[in-house]
Amino acid sequence: MELEIKSLRIFLAIPIAPDILEALGKGVETLRETRAPVSWVRPGGMHLTVKFLGDTEPEWIAPLADSLAGICGLIEPFPVSVAGMGAYPSLRRPRVIWAGVEELSGTLLRLHEGVDNVCAGMGWPREKRKFSPHVTVGRVKGNINLARLSAAMGEIEDEHWGDQEVMSMVLYRSHLEKGGARYEEMRIFPFLTNQ
């Protein structure tokens, strides 16, 4: 009897530095006090998504990883700043709560475009939406206390959560569990270093 191998739910992301995660965690605690129905992302699960790939057959992982290693080997490390707090589609009608990511050199956008090109060449659909780098901190699950939540977000919308040097991109596998998603690092793609 052959064992059926399930597809893997995968995505590419940049991990967030521990000090920034700690600061974001404190920001989330402030928002929790509104008692709005939000599924909050645990700080350890927060990341900057470069591309969500979804369900993928295991045999695609190795060729994908080889291609991505080639791209990442040409990217130099770059600084990002995590700042602000906002919501999609808007602060008045929040559905996804996020912290903003600023990167001034254009390297992050070039990384995203390179990843999108590689993935499109292998059969994944191209991104339809404009790349808007952010760190998701929560997903709104109802309509209670949304005015309080919006007001609380307005109070920290200009907060600076921290800066970090981005040294690599990670291929994660997402495990959907009762307590929320758990992310497993499958491959790390280091950027170009002059060592």
Side-chain angles (χ1 to χ4, degrees):
M1 185 171 117
E2 274 189 42
L3 195 63
E4 183 183 335
I5 299 175
K6 291 183 180 178
S7 64
L8 311 176
R9 185 179 170 86
I10 62 172
F11 63 95
L12 294 155
I14 290 167
I16 302 301
D19 59 322
I20 299 176
L21 293 177
E22 185 178 337
L24 283 171
K26 289 177 183 171
V28 165
E29 285 308 313
T30 302
L31 299 179
R32 276 183 193 273
E33 292 171 8
T34 66
R35 304 180 71 79
V38 179
S39 175
W40 298 105
V41 178
R42 295 184 300 267
M46 293 179 187
H47 53 265
L48 164 57
T49 301
V50 177
K51 185 166 178 71
F52 179 76
L53 299 169
D55 292 331
T56 300
E57 298 304 314
E59 63 267 19
W60 282 92
I61 300 297
L64 173 64
D66 288 345
S67 296
L68 293 172
I71 285 179
C72 290
L74 300 173
I75 297 276
E76 291 188 9
F78 56 92
V80 296
S81 182
V82 181
M85 187 70 68
Y88 296 127
S90 70
L91 273 183
R92 294 187 65 194
R93 294 183 302 115
R95 286 292 155 233
V96 175
I97 300 168
W98 49 261
V101 175
E102 298 170 2
E103 194 280 308
L104 301 177
S105 73
T107 306
L108 179 56
L109 180 59
R110 286 194 303 276
L111 173 65
H112 167 74
E113 288 171 348
V115 166
D116 203 33
N117 287 338
V118 162
C119 293
M122 296 180 73
W124 277 277
R126 285 190 180 277
E127 293 292 334
K128 290 184 175 72
R129 289 179 293 198
K130 182 177 179 255
F131 182 54
S132 177
H134 65 276
V135 177
T136 298
V137 298
R139 290 177 176 80
V140 179
K141 301 295 185 186
N143 295 316
I144 301 167
N145 292 332
L146 290 192
R148 287 173 65 187
L149 177 64
S150 295
M153 279 193 291
E155 289 176 19
I156 59 174
E157 67 181 336
D158 295 325
E159 193 74 32
H160 181 264
W161 309 107
D163 302 313
Q164 77 177 71
E165 188 81 1
V166 177
M167 306 296 290
S168 62
M169 181 176 70
V170 178
L171 173 64
Y172 288 99
R173 178 179 182 187
S174 176
H175 299 270
L176 301 178
E177 298 174 346
K178 258 188 185 172
R182 177 176 60 83
Y183 305 126
E184 170 193 356
E185 283 186 3
M186 295 186 72
R187 299 273 200 293
I188 298 174
F189 305 101
F191 295 150
L192 175 68
T193 56
N194 297 321
Q195 296 176 349

